[in-house]
Amino acid sequence: MCGIAGWFSPHKQDRDEHNLQAMAKSLYHRGPDGNGFFTDAEEGIYMAHTRLSIIDLQTGQQPIQDKRSKNILTANGEFYDYKRIRGQLVTEGFHFQTKSDSEIALKLYDKLGLDFMQHLRGEFAFALFDTEQKELLLVRDRFGIRPLFYKVQGDSVYYASEVKALAAHGNVAIELDRKALLHQMVQVMVPGTTPFAGVHAVKPGHFLRIRKTPGGLDIKQEMYWDADFPLDKEHICSEDVAIQGVRDKLIEAIGLRLEADVPVACYLSGGIDSCSILGLASAIQQSPIKAFTISFSDDKFDESHIAKEMAEKTAASQDILKLSGNELYGENYEKAIWHSERTFYNTLGVAKMLMSKHVTENSYKVVITGEGSDEIFGGYAAFKKDMFLYDESYRDSEHAASVLKKNQIFSGSILAEENISHPAFEELMGFTPSWIQPWMMTLQQVKPLLSKEYLEELGDYDPFTEIAASFDTEKLKGRHPLDKVQYTWMKTMLEGQILNWGGDRVDMANSLESRPAFLDHHLVEFAMQLAPLLRVKNGVEKWVLREAMKHILPTVLYKREKFAFMAPPAYRDPIKQKNLYLLLDKYVSPDAVKKLGMLDGERYQDFYKGFGKEEVMAENTRSDVIMNHLLGLHALQERFTS
C-alpha cells in the first residue's frame, strides 16, 4: 500500500519538480516508510511514490524502471498470486530486479501489452509510463478499492491517489463543483465524478491512456472489466455447486491476502462477513490472528458481544475499541472529512478511522476486511425488499413491508419509510431500486433549504436522472431484479461509500492497508453466476454464504438476520448532538453559507433549531444525514478551496 502522484506534460508546459516533492509530502500518511521520484523533463513525465512497506521490505522501492524496456511503474496496492506469476515469467526469460509484487505489472505489460490487466488480481491503482510509445497509463482495480484521480489542465494531466496531492501542486486549481454539491447532499455520485470541478476519478475496472500528439494530448478512458450478471434463468442453480464454490474461492482469496512480510490482522464486527474471514484466516494461518472490534456506547448499534463469541470460537486475540459520542465529532470528524475528500451521512467513517489508528498503534500495517460480501451475495435490506417485491417466486408486498419494520432503526438512512419512484429508473430497470429511494427522499427535504440563486443555477438538473444515465443498459437488459439492484449499487455506492469513507480513505489516514477478501474478482465472478434464490432464499439474505460457512459461524450468527454496521445518529445522544452543533457553528457559519452559496441562510437556521425534534424517527434520521452532509460540504470548502 502506498501513494502515487505525478503529471505528464509532454509539451513541456510544467517542469517545476518542487511541486512533485509537495505532492508526495501530502501523501505521507499513505506511505511513511520512504518515497521515490522519477523525472524526465525532456519527455515531460514526473512520477512520485510514497511507500508503506509490506512486501519485499528490502528492495521494493519505487518507482521501478525495467532494465530492458525502460518502462517505469509506480503502484499503490497489492497484486496477489504474484509468486506464481513471477515463477512463470522467469521460465520465459524475464528477469526481476526486486522481490516485490508490483514488478509483475511491468513484466506482464512487456509480454502482453494492454491485455496485461486481465492477469492482475488484487487491489491496485498504478501509473505506468511506456518510454517507447510515449504513453502514460493510469489503471484502477475492478471495484475501485484503491483511489486514483486526475485533472486535465492545458496540455498537462495531473494524477494522484488523493485530491489533496493535486491541490499540493502549485499550478493546479481546486474548487468545488456546483452540481456535485447536490450529489453530495444525496450521497450518490455519478461514477467517475468527484466533489471538485474538473477532477475526475479513474473509474473502477478502467484505465486512462494518455498520449502525446502534435495537436496536444490524446486522452481516452477504456474499460477492461465490468460486473456481468447472466441473463435471467441462466444462473447456477445447484446448491451443492454453489456452496462448495463459495467455500473454495473464499478460502483462496483469504489465503492470498494473508501474504505479507509483516503481521496481518482482521477487522471483526458482529456480522457474517468478518466472522467468516476470521474463521478461515485462523484456520489457514499458522499463528493466532489478532482481531480488532469497534464497540459503540449505544446498545442498539453495538454488535461487539457477537464478535466476542466469534473471537472465542477461533481462539483469536481480540482487541475491542469502545467509542462514545465524544470521539465521533470534533477533530476526529474534521480529519475524516479531510481524508475522505467527500461528505458522509454517518459517523461510521470516523469510527473506522479511529479503529485504523488503534490498529497501527498496535504495530499492524495490514488488516483483512469483510467489505463486498453484501454486494455479491445480496446482503442489504434494500436488496431483500426488492426480491420480495419483484422476484416472481416471492411477489410478497407484506414481506417487503416486514423488512422495513425489522430495520426500522435505519429508516431514513438506508431504507425509505415509503415506496417512491423515479421515471429514469423505472425506464431503465422497470422499477426504482429500494437502495436509492432514501436518497430521493433526502432530496425532497433538502430542496427547501436551497437558496434561490443556487436553484436557478441548477435549472432542471436532476441528480438521479444523471445517475441512471451513467449505467450500461446492456448490463441490465434481461437481468433478474436482484442482479439489477446489485449491479447499480456496485457501480455507485460500493466505490463512493463502502470503499471510500468506509474503507481505504479512513484506513490509510493512519497508514493501514485494508484487504477486502470478498472483492477478489474470481470470487465475485463466481457469485454473480449464482441464482438469485441461492443468494436470498426463503427470505434469508446471503443464504449461500451462510451455508458455506455454517460450521465456522456461531449458531446465533448463522441464524441471525443482517444488521447494518453503522454508528448511532447524533440526535440519539446528547453529547454527540452537542459536539455536532459545535462543528456546525464552526464550519456552517453565516459567512461560510454565503460563500458556498448553496443554502438559504434563514431556512438553514430554522432547520438547525429544529434538529432532532421531529416526531417520526425516520425524519430525525434523515435530518441527521442532511446535517452531516452540510457540515462536510462546508468543511471541504474551507479545507480545499480557501
Side-chain angles (χ1 to χ4, degrees):
M1 176 62 69
C2 306
I4 63 173
W7 67 91
F8 186 28
S9 186
H11 296 279
K12 303 172 187 176
Q13 287 187 330
D14 193 337
R15 295 187 175 193
D16 190 347
E17 294 184 20
H18 292 95
N19 283 320
L20 194 62
Q21 299 277 348
M23 294 174 85
K25 185 177 180 180
S26 73
L27 296 175
Y28 176 82
H29 54 283
R30 296 192 71 90
D33 297 333
N35 53 40
F37 303 91
F38 177 89
T39 64
D40 186 335
E42 193 60 33
E43 297 296 347
I45 185 70
Y46 299 80
M47 305 173 79
H49 184 269
T50 62
R51 188 177 188 219
L52 181 64
S53 303
I54 291 173
I55 292 176
D56 186 12
L57 307 185
Q58 302 303 318
T59 66
Q61 294 81 8
Q62 296 187 38
I64 304 172
Q65 183 166 24
D66 187 77
K67 287 184 178 179
R68 193 200 65 79
S69 68
K70 304 303 180 184
N71 296 335
I72 306 116
L73 174 81
T74 54
N76 166 31
E78 304 292 348
F79 300 125
Y80 299 117
D81 201 19
Y82 72 98
K83 290 181 178 178
R84 179 189 64 80
I85 294 172
R86 282 172 62 99
Q88 182 176 333
L89 289 169
V90 166
T91 67
E92 298 172 9
F94 290 90
H95 300 280
F96 286 82
Q97 300 159 221
T98 75
K99 292 290 186 180
S100 77
D101 59 304
S102 298
E103 195 176 354
I104 66 168
L106 280 171
K107 308 301 183 184
L108 287 171
Y109 176 69
D110 194 13
K111 175 185 176 182
L112 302 168
L114 292 177
D115 288 340
F116 82 120
M117 285 169 263
Q118 303 297 336
H119 298 265
L120 298 175
R121 181 176 188 175
E123 309 101 32
F124 50 81
F126 62 88
L128 192 157
F129 184 68
D130 186 320
T131 56
E132 182 178 347
Q133 298 295 325
K134 315 300 183 191
E135 179 175 272
L136 177 65
L137 301 178
L138 300 178
V139 186
R140 196 172 182 199
D141 67 61
R142 293 165 178 82
F143 305 100
I145 301 167
R146 302 298 170 228
L148 186 56
F149 303 96
Y150 68 97
K151 183 174 184 181
V152 181
Q153 202 164 280
D155 271 352
S156 302
V157 176
Y158 301 85
Y159 68 90
S161 295
E162 299 184 11
V163 177
K164 60 182 64 65
L166 297 178
H169 191 295
N171 297 335
V172 178
I174 299 294
E175 59 184 22
L176 293 177
D177 182 273
R178 302 300 291 173
K179 289 178 180 176
L181 297 178
L182 195 61
H183 281 277
Q184 293 289 284
M185 290 301 302
V186 297
Q187 185 61 30
V188 192
M189 297 291 290
V190 175
T193 66
T194 74
F196 306 97
V199 177
H200 307 279
V202 177
K203 294 179 183 179
H206 286 68
F207 65 99
L208 216 63
R209 295 183 72 180
I210 308 165
R211 291 178 173 178
K212 175 183 177 180
T213 68
L217 290 178
D218 179 44
I219 304 171
K220 293 180 180 177
Q221 187 163 203
E222 301 180 22
M223 182 175 66
Y224 69 91
W225 188 92
D226 195 10
D228 191 7
F229 289 89
L231 295 174
D232 199 10
K233 313 296 186 187
E234 295 183 5
H235 299 81
I236 295 172
C237 296
S238 167
E239 293 182 3
D240 292 340
V241 170
I243 292 168
Q244 191 58 51
V246 169
R247 282 179 185 150
D248 292 343
K249 294 190 181 299
L250 184 55
I251 289 169
E252 182 180 44
I254 292 171
L256 290 171
R257 282 158 182 78
L258 286 168
E259 175 72 37
D261 294 332
V262 296
V264 178
C266 289
Y267 276 159
L268 177 64
S269 69
I272 290 173
D273 314 326
S274 63
C275 288
S276 297
I277 285 174
L278 178 63
L280 289 176
S282 298
I284 297 168
Q285 186 76 295
Q286 295 299 311
S287 56
I289 294 286
K290 184 80 171 181
F292 290 92
T293 300
I294 293 173
S295 174
F296 293 118
S297 57
D298 189 327
D299 290 342
K300 288 188 178 296
F301 288 81
D302 185 46
E303 297 182 289
S304 60
H305 58 289
I306 297 177
K308 185 177 181 181
E309 185 174 341
M310 185 67 200
E312 292 173 350
K313 181 179 174 69
T314 58
S317 172
Q318 187 182 26
D319 186 315
I320 300 177
L321 177 66
K322 296 182 178 180
L323 297 175
S324 67
N326 272 326
E327 289 91 7
L328 297 177
Y329 279 100
E331 291 183 5
N332 293 327
Y333 189 100
E334 293 172 288
K335 185 178 179 183
I337 283 287
W338 170 246
H339 284 285
S340 299
E341 299 179 338
R342 66 151 295 164
T343 67
F344 40 78
Y345 71 88
N346 181 266
T347 53
L348 167 63
V350 185
K352 289 202 69 179
M353 186 190 71
L354 292 172
M355 173 57 86
S356 71
K357 180 182 179 184
H358 183 67
V359 172
T360 55
E361 287 173 347
N362 279 269
S363 302
Y364 283 87
K365 291 183 175 183
V366 184
V367 289
I368 304 179
T369 71
E371 283 85 13
S373 174
D374 292 309
E375 279 73 17
I376 65 174
F377 292 119
Y380 293 115
F383 294 177
K384 185 160 69 171
K385 181 183 173 187
D386 287 344
M387 276 288 283
F388 284 136
L389 288 175
Y390 307 116
D391 181 89
E392 60 187 26
S393 301
Y394 286 113
R395 296 288 183 183
D396 192 329
S397 58
E398 186 175 324
H399 277 86
S402 74
V403 173
L404 180 60
K405 186 176 181 181
K406 290 178 180 178
N407 291 273
Q408 193 170 9
I409 196 169
F410 303 115
S411 179
S413 56
I414 62 174
L415 284 172
E417 64 270 32
E418 60 184 73
N419 292 322
I420 58 175
S421 64
H422 192 285
F425 277 92
E426 294 292 330
E427 181 179 352
L428 177 74
M429 300 172 63
F431 60 96
T432 302
S434 294
W435 70 261
I436 206 165
Q437 292 182 31
W439 311 120
M440 292 165 56
M441 295 190 74
T442 300
L443 181 60
Q444 293 175 7
Q445 195 166 334
V446 164
K447 275 196 169 180
L449 302 178
L450 302 179
S451 68
K452 178 183 176 182
E453 294 76 13
Y454 182 65
L455 287 170
E456 289 176 351
E457 184 181 342
L458 287 175
D460 59 358
Y461 183 80
D462 180 356
F464 298 108
T465 298
E466 294 299 315
I467 293 163
S470 72
F471 300 123
D472 183 349
T473 57
E474 292 302 313
K475 291 295 195 293
L476 294 167
K477 194 179 300 182
R479 267 60 174 196
H480 184 276
L482 181 60
D483 294 342
K484 291 180 180 182
V485 297
Q486 286 184 217
Y487 179 81
T488 52
W489 172 280
M490 288 169 70
K491 301 300 286 187
T492 51
M493 300 292 276
L494 175 60
E495 179 212 5
Q497 172 182 316
I498 305 299
L499 300 175
N500 180 294
W501 56 268
D504 174 277
R505 308 305 290 279
V506 291
D507 290 325
M508 283 303 288
N510 294 294
S511 310
L512 180 69
E513 175 177 286
S514 49
R515 299 176 170 182
F518 284 101
L519 290 179
D520 184 280
H521 77 276
H522 291 252
L523 173 58
V524 173
E525 288 173 351
F526 179 77
M528 288 190 296
Q529 303 303 310
L530 302 181
L533 288 174
L534 295 179
R535 285 173 261 155
V536 182
K537 183 176 181 181
N538 298 327
V540 177
E541 71 283 353
K542 294 191 285 195
W543 178 87
V544 65
L545 178 62
R546 290 174 191 265
E547 294 305 309
M549 298 292 107
K550 184 175 183 178
H551 299 295
I552 287 178
L553 300 171
T555 302
V556 63
L557 188 55
Y558 167 74
K559 295 181 177 180
R560 180 177 183 248
E561 187 172 12
K562 176 182 170 59
F563 184 85
F565 184 53
M566 190 177 294
Y571 76 86
R572 293 177 58 88
D573 182 345
I575 295 175
K576 199 173 180 185
Q577 188 166 342
K578 177 184 176 182
N579 290 331
L580 170 60
Y581 275 134
L582 288 173
L583 278 181
L584 288 168
D585 292 344
K586 177 179 179 179
Y587 285 103
V588 198
S589 65
D591 286 344
V593 167
K594 185 177 181 180
K595 180 181 177 182
L596 187 62
M598 183 183 188
L599 296 175
D600 180 288
E602 291 185 6
R603 292 175 185 171
Y604 165 69
Q605 284 300 322
D606 290 341
F607 182 67
Y608 175 98
K609 293 172 185 176
F611 176 66
K613 298 176 182 178
E614 301 288 348
E615 295 183 4
V616 180
M617 183 175 66
E619 294 181 3
N620 281 322
T621 299
R622 195 155 40 247
S623 294
D624 189 84
V625 166
I626 293 170
M627 280 302 198
N628 276 306
H629 283 313
L630 287 175
L631 172 57
L633 278 178
H634 288 81
L636 287 175
Q637 173 185 242
E638 179 168 319
R639 297 298 300 275
F640 281 90
T641 66
S642 296

